[in-house]
Amino acid sequence: MPLNITGELVSININRYKCGYCGACVGVCPKGALELVETWVEVDENTCITCGICDRICPVGAIEVMK
Amino acid sequence: MKDMYEVLVIGAGPAGSIAAKVAAENGLDVLLIEKRQEIGDPVRCAEGVNKEYLKKHVEIDKRWICADLKGSCIYSPDGTKIEMAEEIAGGEVGYVLERKVFDRALAEQAAKAGAEVRVKTRATGLIIEDDFVKGARLMHLGKEYDVRARIVIGADGVESKVGRWAGIDTSLKPIDIETCVQYLIAGADINQEYCEFYIGSETAPGGYIWIFPKGEGKANVGIGMLGSEMGKFKPRPVDYLNSFIEKRFPDASIVEMVFGESRSQAALRKLQLTALCSWEMLHANPIQSQAVGFLML
Ligand SMILES: Cc1cc2nc3c(=O)[nH]c(=O)nc-3n(C[C@H](O)[C@H](O)[C@H](O)COP(=O)(O)OP(=O)(O)OC[C@H]3O[C@@H](n4cnc5c(N)ncnc54)[C@H](O)[C@@H]3O)c2cc1C
Ligand code: SF4
Ligand code: SF4
Protein backbone atom coordinates (compact mmCIF):
# COMPACT_ATOMS: atom_id res chain seq x y z
CA MET A 1 0.00 0.00 0.00
CA PRO A 2 1.20 3.55 -0.66
CA LEU A 3 2.18 5.72 2.30
CA ASN A 4 1.14 9.33 2.56
CA ILE A 5 3.24 12.27 3.70
CA THR A 6 2.81 11.42 7.37
CA GLY A 7 3.52 7.73 6.80
CA GLU A 8 -0.09 6.47 7.04
CA LEU A 9 -1.33 3.69 4.79
CA VAL A 10 -3.65 5.10 2.12
CA SER A 11 -5.29 3.76 -1.02
CA ILE A 12 -4.12 6.73 -3.10
CA ASN A 13 -1.12 8.93 -2.60
CA ILE A 14 0.09 11.92 -4.59
CA ASN A 15 3.76 12.66 -4.27
CA ARG A 16 3.80 16.43 -4.11
CA TYR A 17 7.54 16.57 -4.66
CA LYS A 18 7.15 14.85 -8.02
CA CYS A 19 3.87 16.43 -9.10
CA GLY A 20 4.07 19.26 -11.63
CA TYR A 21 0.47 20.38 -10.92
CA CYS A 22 -0.64 19.99 -14.52
CA GLY A 23 -4.18 18.84 -13.80
CA ALA A 24 -4.07 15.84 -16.14
CA CYS A 25 -5.23 13.50 -13.37
CA VAL A 26 -8.07 15.87 -12.48
CA GLY A 27 -9.27 15.85 -16.08
CA VAL A 28 -9.48 12.05 -16.32
CA CYS A 29 -10.88 11.15 -12.93
CA PRO A 30 -14.32 9.71 -13.68
CA LYS A 31 -15.58 10.55 -10.19
CA GLY A 32 -14.31 14.09 -9.88
CA ALA A 33 -12.44 13.04 -6.75
CA LEU A 34 -9.34 15.10 -7.49
CA GLU A 35 -8.86 18.82 -7.35
CA LEU A 36 -5.94 21.00 -8.30
CA VAL A 37 -5.67 23.63 -5.59
CA GLU A 38 -2.98 26.14 -6.58
CA THR A 39 0.17 23.98 -6.60
CA TRP A 40 -1.02 20.70 -5.15
CA VAL A 41 -3.60 18.04 -5.86
CA GLU A 42 -6.18 17.13 -3.24
CA VAL A 43 -8.06 13.86 -3.24
CA ASP A 44 -11.44 13.18 -1.71
CA GLU A 45 -10.92 9.63 -0.51
CA ASN A 46 -14.64 9.13 0.06
CA THR A 47 -15.37 9.70 -3.62
CA CYS A 48 -12.33 7.90 -5.07
CA ILE A 49 -13.11 4.40 -6.32
CA THR A 50 -9.40 3.52 -6.71
CA CYS A 51 -9.85 2.82 -10.40
CA GLY A 52 -6.23 3.83 -11.04
CA ILE A 53 -6.83 5.91 -14.17
CA CYS A 54 -5.07 8.92 -12.64
CA ASP A 55 -2.07 6.76 -11.77
CA ARG A 56 -1.82 5.54 -15.38
CA ILE A 57 -2.15 8.96 -16.92
CA CYS A 58 0.25 11.02 -14.81
CA PRO A 59 3.16 12.02 -17.08
CA VAL A 60 5.69 11.77 -14.27
CA GLY A 61 4.28 8.94 -12.16
CA ALA A 62 3.46 11.05 -9.10
CA ILE A 63 0.29 9.13 -8.15
CA GLU A 64 0.17 5.72 -6.58
CA VAL A 65 -3.16 3.94 -6.34
CA MET A 66 -3.61 0.66 -4.56
CA LYS A 67 -6.65 -1.32 -5.60
CA MET B 1 -15.47 42.22 -5.98
CA LYS B 2 -19.19 42.85 -6.22
CA ASP B 3 -21.79 40.18 -5.53
CA MET B 4 -23.53 40.51 -8.90
CA TYR B 5 -22.28 40.67 -12.49
CA GLU B 6 -23.77 40.10 -15.89
CA VAL B 7 -21.04 37.65 -16.90
CA LEU B 8 -18.74 35.56 -14.73
CA VAL B 9 -15.83 33.90 -16.52
CA ILE B 10 -14.03 31.13 -14.63
CA GLY B 11 -10.40 30.63 -15.68
CA ALA B 12 -8.06 33.20 -17.21
CA GLY B 13 -6.40 31.03 -19.86
CA PRO B 14 -6.59 32.32 -23.42
CA ALA B 15 -10.18 31.10 -23.82
CA GLY B 16 -11.43 32.83 -20.67
CA SER B 17 -9.59 36.08 -21.32
CA ILE B 18 -10.86 36.34 -24.88
CA ALA B 19 -14.41 35.56 -23.76
CA ALA B 20 -14.19 38.20 -21.00
CA LYS B 21 -12.76 40.75 -23.38
CA VAL B 22 -15.43 40.24 -26.02
CA ALA B 23 -18.20 40.37 -23.43
CA ALA B 24 -16.81 43.56 -21.87
CA GLU B 25 -16.38 45.18 -25.27
CA ASN B 26 -20.05 44.55 -25.84
CA GLY B 27 -20.88 46.59 -22.79
CA LEU B 28 -21.47 43.78 -20.32
CA ASP B 29 -20.41 43.88 -16.69
CA VAL B 30 -17.82 41.10 -16.45
CA LEU B 31 -15.83 39.38 -13.71
CA LEU B 32 -12.90 37.17 -14.81
CA ILE B 33 -11.42 34.97 -12.09
CA GLU B 34 -8.25 32.89 -12.04
CA LYS B 35 -7.27 30.53 -9.26
CA ARG B 36 -3.54 30.80 -9.82
CA GLN B 37 -1.67 33.71 -8.39
CA GLU B 38 0.01 34.51 -11.68
CA ILE B 39 -1.82 34.35 -14.97
CA GLY B 40 0.04 32.24 -17.51
CA ASP B 41 2.31 30.59 -14.97
CA PRO B 42 3.14 27.70 -14.90
CA VAL B 43 3.01 27.28 -18.65
CA ARG B 44 1.27 24.19 -20.00
CA CYS B 45 2.01 24.47 -23.65
CA ALA B 46 4.59 23.97 -26.40
CA GLU B 47 3.61 27.47 -27.44
CA GLY B 48 3.30 26.79 -31.14
CA VAL B 49 0.36 28.47 -32.87
CA ASN B 50 -0.95 28.72 -36.34
CA LYS B 51 -0.33 32.23 -37.66
CA GLU B 52 -3.57 32.58 -39.57
CA TYR B 53 -5.80 31.47 -36.73
CA LEU B 54 -4.02 33.70 -34.29
CA LYS B 55 -4.41 36.73 -36.56
CA LYS B 56 -8.10 36.04 -36.85
CA HIS B 57 -8.70 36.32 -33.12
CA VAL B 58 -6.20 38.77 -31.71
CA GLU B 59 -4.02 41.61 -32.81
CA ILE B 60 -0.50 40.25 -32.80
CA ASP B 61 2.06 41.91 -30.60
CA LYS B 62 5.77 41.25 -31.33
CA ARG B 63 6.52 40.89 -27.61
CA TRP B 64 4.73 37.54 -27.46
CA ILE B 65 6.65 35.98 -30.29
CA CYS B 66 9.87 34.02 -29.70
CA ALA B 67 10.27 32.51 -33.13
CA ASP B 68 8.71 32.94 -36.53
CA LEU B 69 8.85 29.54 -38.21
CA LYS B 70 9.65 28.89 -41.86
CA GLY B 71 8.59 25.29 -41.84
CA SER B 72 8.64 22.01 -40.04
CA CYS B 73 10.59 18.77 -40.33
CA ILE B 74 9.25 15.36 -39.43
CA TYR B 75 11.68 12.52 -38.71
CA SER B 76 10.58 8.92 -39.05
CA PRO B 77 12.12 6.13 -36.93
CA ASP B 78 14.75 5.28 -39.58
CA GLY B 79 15.87 8.89 -39.71
CA THR B 80 14.06 9.84 -42.94
CA LYS B 81 13.33 13.55 -42.93
CA ILE B 82 10.18 15.06 -44.39
CA GLU B 83 10.35 18.78 -44.73
CA MET B 84 7.31 21.00 -44.97
CA ALA B 85 7.89 24.59 -46.00
CA GLU B 86 5.42 27.26 -45.01
CA GLU B 87 3.82 27.43 -48.47
CA ILE B 88 3.41 23.68 -48.79
CA ALA B 89 2.18 23.23 -45.27
CA GLY B 90 -0.55 25.71 -46.16
CA GLY B 91 0.12 28.13 -43.34
CA GLU B 92 0.16 25.22 -40.92
CA VAL B 93 3.42 26.42 -39.43
CA GLY B 94 3.37 29.42 -37.22
CA TYR B 95 4.79 31.32 -34.35
CA VAL B 96 6.31 30.09 -31.15
CA LEU B 97 4.83 32.26 -28.44
CA GLU B 98 5.89 33.26 -24.98
CA ARG B 99 2.71 32.04 -23.32
CA LYS B 100 3.48 33.71 -20.00
CA VAL B 101 3.52 37.08 -21.73
CA PHE B 102 0.71 36.18 -24.12
CA ASP B 103 -1.75 34.90 -21.50
CA ARG B 104 -1.13 37.88 -19.30
CA ALA B 105 -1.52 40.31 -22.19
CA LEU B 106 -4.88 38.77 -23.07
CA ALA B 107 -6.06 39.15 -19.48
CA GLU B 108 -4.87 42.75 -19.50
CA GLN B 109 -6.82 43.36 -22.70
CA ALA B 110 -9.91 42.00 -20.97
CA ALA B 111 -9.28 44.38 -18.07
CA LYS B 112 -8.76 47.27 -20.46
CA ALA B 113 -12.06 46.48 -22.13
CA GLY B 114 -13.68 46.91 -18.74
CA ALA B 115 -13.72 43.45 -17.18
CA GLU B 116 -12.78 43.08 -13.54
CA VAL B 117 -9.93 40.56 -13.20
CA ARG B 118 -9.18 38.67 -9.98
CA VAL B 119 -6.31 36.26 -9.45
CA LYS B 120 -5.90 33.74 -6.62
CA THR B 121 -9.67 33.38 -6.75
CA ARG B 122 -11.00 29.87 -7.22
CA ALA B 123 -14.51 28.77 -8.03
CA THR B 124 -15.52 26.00 -5.64
CA GLY B 125 -19.05 25.37 -6.84
CA LEU B 126 -22.00 26.77 -8.75
CA ILE B 127 -25.08 28.47 -7.38
CA ILE B 128 -27.94 26.56 -8.94
CA GLU B 129 -31.55 27.58 -8.38
CA ASP B 130 -34.63 26.19 -10.13
CA ASP B 131 -32.30 24.20 -12.41
CA PHE B 132 -30.55 27.34 -13.62
CA VAL B 133 -26.97 28.38 -13.03
CA LYS B 134 -27.23 31.64 -11.12
CA GLY B 135 -23.60 32.23 -10.18
CA ALA B 136 -20.70 30.61 -8.41
CA ARG B 137 -19.10 30.24 -5.01
CA LEU B 138 -15.60 31.66 -4.97
CA MET B 139 -12.69 31.28 -2.61
CA HIS B 140 -10.26 34.17 -2.35
CA LEU B 141 -7.44 34.14 0.22
CA GLY B 142 -9.28 31.63 2.35
CA LYS B 143 -12.58 33.53 2.35
CA GLU B 144 -15.76 32.43 0.58
CA TYR B 145 -17.87 34.67 -1.61
CA ASP B 146 -21.15 34.08 -3.43
CA VAL B 147 -21.13 35.86 -6.75
CA ARG B 148 -24.21 35.90 -8.91
CA ALA B 149 -24.19 36.31 -12.67
CA ARG B 150 -26.62 36.02 -15.55
CA ILE B 151 -24.12 34.03 -17.56
CA VAL B 152 -21.37 31.80 -16.19
CA ILE B 153 -18.66 30.76 -18.62
CA GLY B 154 -16.51 27.78 -17.68
CA ALA B 155 -13.11 28.31 -19.30
CA ASP B 156 -11.29 26.29 -16.69
CA GLY B 157 -9.12 24.17 -18.96
CA VAL B 158 -8.19 20.53 -18.57
CA GLU B 159 -9.01 20.29 -14.89
CA SER B 160 -12.48 21.66 -15.65
CA LYS B 161 -15.01 21.36 -12.86
CA VAL B 162 -17.59 23.91 -13.95
CA GLY B 163 -19.18 21.58 -16.48
CA ARG B 164 -19.33 18.77 -13.91
CA TRP B 165 -20.96 21.01 -11.34
CA ALA B 166 -23.62 21.82 -13.91
CA GLY B 167 -24.24 18.10 -14.35
CA ILE B 168 -22.31 17.58 -17.58
CA ASP B 169 -19.74 14.80 -17.47
CA THR B 170 -16.63 16.45 -18.87
CA SER B 171 -14.22 13.81 -17.59
CA LEU B 172 -11.83 12.70 -20.31
CA LYS B 173 -11.07 9.15 -21.37
CA PRO B 174 -7.37 8.26 -21.56
CA ILE B 175 -7.82 7.79 -25.33
CA ASP B 176 -9.01 11.39 -25.61
CA ILE B 177 -5.87 12.96 -24.27
CA GLU B 178 -2.18 13.27 -24.89
CA THR B 179 -0.18 13.49 -21.71
CA CYS B 180 2.81 15.69 -22.09
CA VAL B 181 6.13 16.57 -20.55
CA GLN B 182 8.23 19.35 -21.89
CA TYR B 183 11.54 20.97 -21.02
CA LEU B 184 12.71 24.40 -21.96
CA ILE B 185 16.35 23.83 -22.77
CA ALA B 186 19.09 26.42 -23.14
CA GLY B 187 22.60 26.44 -24.54
CA ALA B 188 21.82 24.10 -27.41
CA ASP B 189 22.54 24.31 -31.09
CA ILE B 190 19.04 24.59 -32.51
CA ASN B 191 17.76 25.68 -35.89
CA GLN B 192 15.55 28.61 -34.99
CA GLU B 193 13.53 28.59 -38.20
CA TYR B 194 12.09 25.10 -38.14
CA CYS B 195 10.17 23.06 -35.69
CA GLU B 196 10.93 19.34 -35.61
CA PHE B 197 8.83 16.29 -34.87
CA TYR B 198 10.06 12.79 -34.13
CA ILE B 199 7.75 9.83 -34.44
CA GLY B 200 8.10 6.11 -33.82
CA SER B 201 7.15 3.57 -31.21
CA GLU B 202 10.63 3.60 -29.67
CA THR B 203 10.82 7.37 -29.45
CA ALA B 204 7.29 8.11 -28.34
CA PRO B 205 4.71 5.31 -28.47
CA GLY B 206 1.32 6.64 -29.53
CA GLY B 207 2.67 10.14 -29.92
CA TYR B 208 5.67 12.21 -30.87
CA ILE B 209 8.48 14.37 -29.63
CA TRP B 210 8.62 18.01 -30.69
CA ILE B 211 11.28 20.70 -30.77
CA PHE B 212 9.95 24.25 -30.97
CA PRO B 213 12.67 26.92 -31.13
CA LYS B 214 12.38 29.78 -28.67
CA GLY B 215 15.25 32.02 -29.77
CA GLU B 216 18.87 32.34 -28.62
CA GLY B 217 19.84 28.69 -28.28
CA LYS B 218 16.62 27.85 -26.48
CA ALA B 219 13.80 25.49 -27.40
CA ASN B 220 10.77 23.73 -26.02
CA VAL B 221 11.50 20.02 -26.29
CA GLY B 222 8.53 17.93 -25.34
CA ILE B 223 6.69 14.69 -25.71
CA GLY B 224 3.01 13.87 -25.98
CA MET B 225 1.73 10.32 -25.67
CA LEU B 226 -1.78 9.04 -26.06
CA GLY B 227 -3.23 8.38 -22.62
CA SER B 228 -4.49 4.98 -23.66
CA GLU B 229 -0.91 3.90 -24.43
CA MET B 230 0.16 4.46 -20.88
CA GLY B 231 0.25 1.99 -18.05
CA LYS B 232 1.20 1.77 -14.43
CA PHE B 233 4.28 -0.30 -15.12
CA LYS B 234 5.25 1.16 -18.50
CA PRO B 235 7.83 3.92 -18.89
CA ARG B 236 6.28 7.38 -18.48
CA PRO B 237 6.48 10.21 -21.03
CA VAL B 238 9.15 11.79 -18.83
CA ASP B 239 11.35 8.68 -19.27
CA TYR B 240 11.11 8.79 -23.07
CA LEU B 241 11.87 12.50 -23.09
CA ASN B 242 14.89 12.09 -20.84
CA SER B 243 16.44 9.48 -23.10
CA PHE B 244 15.77 11.62 -26.20
CA ILE B 245 17.40 14.67 -24.62
CA GLU B 246 20.40 12.67 -23.45
CA LYS B 247 21.04 11.56 -27.01
CA ARG B 248 20.14 14.69 -28.91
CA PHE B 249 21.16 17.52 -26.56
CA PRO B 250 23.65 15.99 -24.11
CA ASP B 251 25.08 19.39 -23.13
CA ALA B 252 21.93 21.47 -22.86
CA SER B 253 20.58 22.75 -19.56
CA ILE B 254 16.96 22.31 -18.59
CA VAL B 255 15.74 25.67 -17.37
CA GLU B 256 12.03 24.92 -17.04
CA MET B 257 9.80 21.85 -16.81
CA VAL B 258 6.24 21.67 -18.05
CA PHE B 259 3.72 18.89 -17.50
CA GLY B 260 0.23 18.58 -18.76
CA GLU B 261 -2.25 17.11 -21.11
CA SER B 262 -3.72 18.18 -24.38
CA ARG B 263 -7.19 17.21 -25.44
CA SER B 264 -7.86 15.43 -28.70
CA GLN B 265 -10.35 16.33 -31.41
CA ALA B 266 -12.93 13.94 -30.06
CA ALA B 267 -12.71 15.36 -26.58
CA LEU B 268 -13.03 18.87 -27.94
CA ARG B 269 -16.11 17.97 -29.87
CA LYS B 270 -17.64 16.85 -26.61
CA LEU B 271 -16.77 20.18 -25.02
CA GLN B 272 -18.14 22.04 -27.98
CA LEU B 273 -21.50 20.43 -27.44
CA THR B 274 -21.58 21.66 -23.91
CA ALA B 275 -20.47 25.14 -24.96
CA LEU B 276 -17.57 25.28 -22.56
CA CYS B 277 -14.68 27.34 -23.74
CA SER B 278 -11.35 25.93 -24.64
CA TRP B 279 -8.39 27.49 -26.33
CA GLU B 280 -7.69 24.33 -28.30
CA MET B 281 -10.87 24.95 -30.20
CA LEU B 282 -9.33 28.14 -31.49
CA HIS B 283 -5.77 27.15 -32.11
CA ALA B 284 -3.63 24.17 -32.70
CA ASN B 285 -0.04 23.25 -32.88
CA PRO B 286 1.29 22.70 -36.37
CA ILE B 287 1.14 18.92 -36.39
CA GLN B 288 -2.13 18.28 -34.64
CA SER B 289 -4.11 21.05 -36.32
CA GLN B 290 -6.92 20.57 -33.89
CA ALA B 291 -8.33 24.03 -34.41
CA VAL B 292 -12.07 23.97 -34.60
CA GLY B 293 -12.97 27.60 -35.11
CA PHE B 294 -14.16 30.43 -33.01
CA LEU B 295 -16.59 29.19 -30.44
CA MET B 296 -16.49 31.87 -27.86
CA LEU B 297 -19.86 33.49 -28.30
C1 LIG C 1 2.93 20.18 -22.88
C2 LIG C 1 1.81 20.80 -23.66
C3 LIG C 1 2.05 21.32 -24.92
C4 LIG C 1 1.06 21.98 -25.62
N1 LIG C 1 1.37 22.55 -26.81
C5 LIG C 1 0.50 23.32 -27.45
C6 LIG C 1 0.89 24.04 -28.62
O1 LIG C 1 2.02 23.97 -29.06
N2 LIG C 1 -0.04 24.81 -29.22
C7 LIG C 1 -1.31 24.93 -28.73
O2 LIG C 1 -2.10 25.66 -29.34
N3 LIG C 1 -1.70 24.25 -27.64
C8 LIG C 1 -0.83 23.46 -26.98
N4 LIG C 1 -1.21 22.80 -25.83
C9 LIG C 1 -2.56 22.98 -25.34
C10 LIG C 1 -2.72 24.33 -24.65
O3 LIG C 1 -1.88 24.47 -23.55
C11 LIG C 1 -4.13 24.45 -24.19
O4 LIG C 1 -4.91 24.26 -25.31
C12 LIG C 1 -4.52 25.80 -23.64
O5 LIG C 1 -3.75 26.22 -22.56
C13 LIG C 1 -5.95 25.72 -23.21
O6 LIG C 1 -6.41 27.03 -22.92
P1 LIG C 1 -7.71 27.26 -22.09
O7 LIG C 1 -7.89 28.73 -21.99
O8 LIG C 1 -8.82 26.44 -22.65
O9 LIG C 1 -7.35 26.61 -20.70
P2 LIG C 1 -6.11 26.87 -19.73
O10 LIG C 1 -5.00 27.58 -20.40
O11 LIG C 1 -5.84 25.56 -19.07
O12 LIG C 1 -6.75 27.87 -18.69
C14 LIG C 1 -7.67 27.47 -17.73
C15 LIG C 1 -7.46 28.37 -16.54
O13 LIG C 1 -8.52 28.18 -15.62
C16 LIG C 1 -8.01 28.18 -14.32
N5 LIG C 1 -8.96 27.48 -13.48
C17 LIG C 1 -9.24 26.15 -13.49
N6 LIG C 1 -10.17 25.85 -12.57
C18 LIG C 1 -10.49 27.02 -11.97
C19 LIG C 1 -11.39 27.36 -10.89
N7 LIG C 1 -12.15 26.44 -10.30
N8 LIG C 1 -11.46 28.66 -10.51
C20 LIG C 1 -10.70 29.61 -11.11
N9 LIG C 1 -9.83 29.34 -12.10
C21 LIG C 1 -9.73 28.06 -12.53
C22 LIG C 1 -6.67 27.50 -14.46
O14 LIG C 1 -5.80 27.83 -13.40
C23 LIG C 1 -6.18 28.05 -15.80
O15 LIG C 1 -5.41 29.22 -15.66
C24 LIG C 1 -0.25 22.09 -25.09
C25 LIG C 1 -0.54 21.53 -23.85
C26 LIG C 1 0.49 20.88 -23.13
C27 LIG C 1 0.19 20.31 -21.79
S1 SF4 D 1 -1.13 14.22 -13.48
FE1 SF4 D 1 0.63 13.91 -12.10
S2 SF4 D 1 1.89 15.75 -12.35
FE2 SF4 D 1 -0.13 16.22 -13.20
S3 SF4 D 1 -1.26 17.17 -11.48
FE3 SF4 D 1 -1.74 14.99 -11.47
S4 SF4 D 1 -0.24 14.11 -10.04
FE4 SF4 D 1 0.52 16.12 -10.60
S1 SF4 E 1 -8.19 6.28 -8.61
FE1 SF4 E 1 -9.83 6.74 -10.09
S2 SF4 E 1 -11.47 7.62 -8.81
FE2 SF4 E 1 -9.62 7.67 -7.55
S3 SF4 E 1 -8.78 9.71 -7.89
FE3 SF4 E 1 -7.80 8.33 -9.37
S4 SF4 E 1 -9.02 8.51 -11.22
FE4 SF4 E 1 -10.25 9.35 -9.53
Side-chain angles (χ1 to χ4, degrees), chain A residues 14 19-25 41 58-60 62-63:
Chain A
I14 299 154
C19 168
Y21 36 97
C22 66
C25 52
V41 175
C58 175
V60 290
I63 307 189

Side-chain angles (χ1 to χ4, degrees), chain A residues 20-24 26-32 34-38 53 55-61 65, chain B residues 35 42 44 120 122 158-159 161 164 171-172 174 177 179-181 227 230-232 236-238 259-261:
Chain A
Y21 36 97
C22 66
V26 182
V28 292
C29 174
K31 290 286 158 195
L34 297 170
E35 181 151 5
L36 178 59
V37 184
E38 305 205 2
I53 297 178
D55 175 337
R56 264 175 55 203
I57 216 76
C58 175
V60 290
V65 176
Chain B
K35 68 178 174 185
R44 287 187 202 145
K120 228 170 156 49
R122 182 166 61 100
V158 14
E159 73 256 33
K161 283 279 166 79
R164 293 190 198 202
S171 70
L172 299 160
I177 64 167
T179 54
C180 308
V181 177
M230 293 175 57
K232 191 169 168 66
R236 303 273 168 176
V238 69
F259 309 118
E261 77 180 342

Side-chain angles (χ1 to χ4, degrees), chain B residues 72-76 80-84 196-197 199 287:
Chain B
S72 53
C73 301
I74 301 172
Y75 294 89
S76 72
T80 313
K81 174 174 159 183
I82 306 161
E83 194 175 318
M84 293 203 287
E196 297 176 17
F197 298 97
I199 51 177
I287 201 173

Side-chain angles (χ1 to χ4, degrees), chain B residues 62-82:
Chain B
K62 287 231 151 40
R63 281 172 300 177
W64 311 335
I65 295 163
C66 296
D68 187 347
L69 301 176
K70 299 258 177 304
S72 53
C73 301
I74 301 172
Y75 294 89
S76 72
D78 64 4
T80 313
K81 174 174 159 183
I82 306 161

